[in-house]
């Protein structure tokens, strides 16, 4: 979400329905793999993120450029080393890593309409008579448009409703977030937002000893996150993360071909190979205007998947 999809949506014209080919891919000497070596062909950004697919994330980073990702990460308080300027940044590979506090602050713009606030501990200091000696002046920096923030929140809600974070679907309050697992099983995390708070949790050993192979962000971090967040939310109303509808943010829903990303036709809908169509959000004015050129209006055989004979 931070290194790839947020900067792609904000700066490079990508959206939830953009299509990426998920297949084994070598990026020079860098050869990332999906978990379990499972690959799914053409997938949308929404599917890639909710299922935590590695190959699409690296491909999107390659398309938008590592520098674009670096600029965004630095804008939300993530510190980088010069050695982090490579495609493995898409999967969270960093020389020195980051902290749960930095992650929580970096996720907050998704939930507040696009503004980053640097984390701090002291709000106000008064003397014994109640005179204010110091008061924190909170000044935010806009890092995302309201549209991009809405799209990112929508994507991260899908992680909870049908992706790797489904253990949080019974949290009792709207949740959006992302699970994750550090390389070599040295830690797992969950970072997410509610209508009130942004919070990040990391589970691991102080000496970075590997966790059990059964430990994942979904199994280990997400339930613990829900446990303490449910207590924090006691007595609070059930408020959504972002107020208003997609149209209030200048977004439109468009049905596109799940293969080409162009406007869907009846031929796309009846594709015997099962690719079908997808309906998702686009920023108004950026939605495709050309009908799919990969599928024709000719009849497709339901057995072979090839064009039917006259």
């Amino acid at each position: 979400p931070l290194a790839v999809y947020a900067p792609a949506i904000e700066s490079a014209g990508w959206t939830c329905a953009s299509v990426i080919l998920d297949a084994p891919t070598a990026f020079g000497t860098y050869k990332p793999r999906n978990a379990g070596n499972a690959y799914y062909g053409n997938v949308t950004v929404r599917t890639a993120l909710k299922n935590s697919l590695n190959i699409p994330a690296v491909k999107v980073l390659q398309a938008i450029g590592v520098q674009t990702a670096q600029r965004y990460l630095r804008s939300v308080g993530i510190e980088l080393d010069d050695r982090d300027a490579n495609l493995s940044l898409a999967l969270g590979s960093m020389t020195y890593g980051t902290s749960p506090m930095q992650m929580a602050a970096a996720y907050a713009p998704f939930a507040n309409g696009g503004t980053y606030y640097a984390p701090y501990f002291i709000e106000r200091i008064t003397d014994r008579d109640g005179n204010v000696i110091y008061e924190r002046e909170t000044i935010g920096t806009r890092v995302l448009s309201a549209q991009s923030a809405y799209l990112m929140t929508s994507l991260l809600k899908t992680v909870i409703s049908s992706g790797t974070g489904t253990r949080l679907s019974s949290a009792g309050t709207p949740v959006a977030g992302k699970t994750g697992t550090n390389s070599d099983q040295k830690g797992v995390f969950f970072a997410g937002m509610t209508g009130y708070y942004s919070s990040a949790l990391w589970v691991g050993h102080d000496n970075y000893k590997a966790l059990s192979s059964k430990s994942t962000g979904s199994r280990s971090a997400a339930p613990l996150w829900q446990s303490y967040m449910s207590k924090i939310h006691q007595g609070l109303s059930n408020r959504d993360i972002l107020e208003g509808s997609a149209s209030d943010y200048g977004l439109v829903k468009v049905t596109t071909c799940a293969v080409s990303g162009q406007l869907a036709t009846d031929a796309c809908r009846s594709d015997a190979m099962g690719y079908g169509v997808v309906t998702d959000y686009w920023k108004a004015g950026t939605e495709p205007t050309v009908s799919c050129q990969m599928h024709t209006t000719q009849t497709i055989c339901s057995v072979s998947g090839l064009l039917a004979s006259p």
Side-chain angles (χ1 to χ4, degrees):
L2 298 175
V4 178
Y5 297 114
I9 286 173
E10 175 67 11
S11 305
W14 289 70
T15 193
C16 305
S18 297
V19 178
I20 318 142
L21 177 61
D22 178 38
T25 305
F27 302 87
T29 58
Y30 180 46
K31 300 177 181 180
R33 298 179 298 173
N34 285 349
N37 280 321
Y39 302 91
Y40 301 92
N42 287 295
V43 297
T44 63
V45 163
R46 188 177 294 279
T47 297
L49 180 58
K50 80 170 185 175
N51 292 331
S52 203
L53 302 179
N54 290 337
I55 297 300
V58 178
K59 283 188 173 182
V60 175
L61 179 57
Q62 183 183 51
I64 68 174
V66 174
Q67 289 184 336
T68 300
Q70 288 179 304
R71 280 194 299 271
Y72 183 77
L73 287 170
R74 290 188 171 112
S75 76
V76 292
I78 304 296
E79 299 171 2
L80 298 171
D81 185 89
D82 291 342
R83 290 168 287 183
D84 297 333
N86 56 73
L87 291 178
S88 65
L89 185 62
L91 307 183
S93 176
M94 299 169 64
T95 304
Y96 297 111
T98 188
S99 71
M101 180 179 70
Q102 290 172 316
M103 289 286 285
Y107 268 67
F110 300 149
N112 68 22
T115 301
Y116 171 75
Y117 296 93
Y120 61 92
F121 291 102
I122 300 175
E123 179 87 23
R124 183 182 303 106
I125 300 173
T126 61
D127 63 19
R128 61 184 179 182
D129 297 319
N131 299 310
V132 177
I133 298 172
Y134 166 84
E135 187 164 12
R136 166 80 183 191
E137 183 180 2
T138 303
I139 300 176
T141 303
R142 177 163 290 282
V143 295
L144 290 172
S145 68
Q147 290 177 317
S148 296
Y150 188 97
L151 291 175
M152 286 304 303
T153 297
S154 173
L155 289 173
L156 292 170
K157 278 186 171 183
T158 307
V159 173
I160 308 304
S161 63
S162 59
T164 59
T166 52
R167 283 178 170 81
L168 287 161
S169 59
S170 60
T173 189
V175 176
K178 183 71 178 69
T179 60
T181 304
N182 295 133
S183 61
D184 301 324
Q185 211 69 26
K186 291 181 179 178
V188 297
F189 70 87
F190 182 80
M193 315 91 67
T194 69
Y196 295 91
Y197 300 107
S198 176
S199 177
L201 169 74
W202 181 83
V203 178
H205 297 290
D206 288 345
N207 61 2
Y208 297 108
K209 177 183 176 182
L211 299 171
S212 161
S213 60
K214 295 181 180 179
S215 293
T216 63
S218 176
R219 287 197 188 113
S220 304
L224 186 54
W225 189 92
Q226 177 174 319
S227 177
Y228 74 79
M229 288 295 276
S230 64
K231 296 188 184 332
I232 291 172
H233 284 73
Q234 286 180 359
L236 298 177
S237 61
N238 193 15
R239 188 168 76 186
D240 205 351
I241 298 169
L242 284 176
E243 297 178 350
S245 64
S247 61
D248 294 331
Y249 290 83
L251 301 171
V252 294
K253 268 194 171 182
V254 178
T255 300
T256 55
C257 174
V259 182
S260 68
Q262 297 171 318
L263 287 176
T265 65
D266 289 340
C268 302
R269 293 181 176 88
S270 61
D271 185 347
M273 298 302 289
Y275 293 116
V277 300
V278 60
T279 300
D280 216 321
Y281 297 116
W282 293 74
K283 294 179 182 179
T286 69
E287 66 272 23
T289 57
V290 177
S291 296
C292 178
Q293 303 298 302
M294 293 184 66
H295 298 98
T296 70
T297 55
Q298 293 174 276
T299 303
I300 300 173
C301 174
S302 62
V303 178
S304 68
L306 302 175
L307 294 178
S309 300

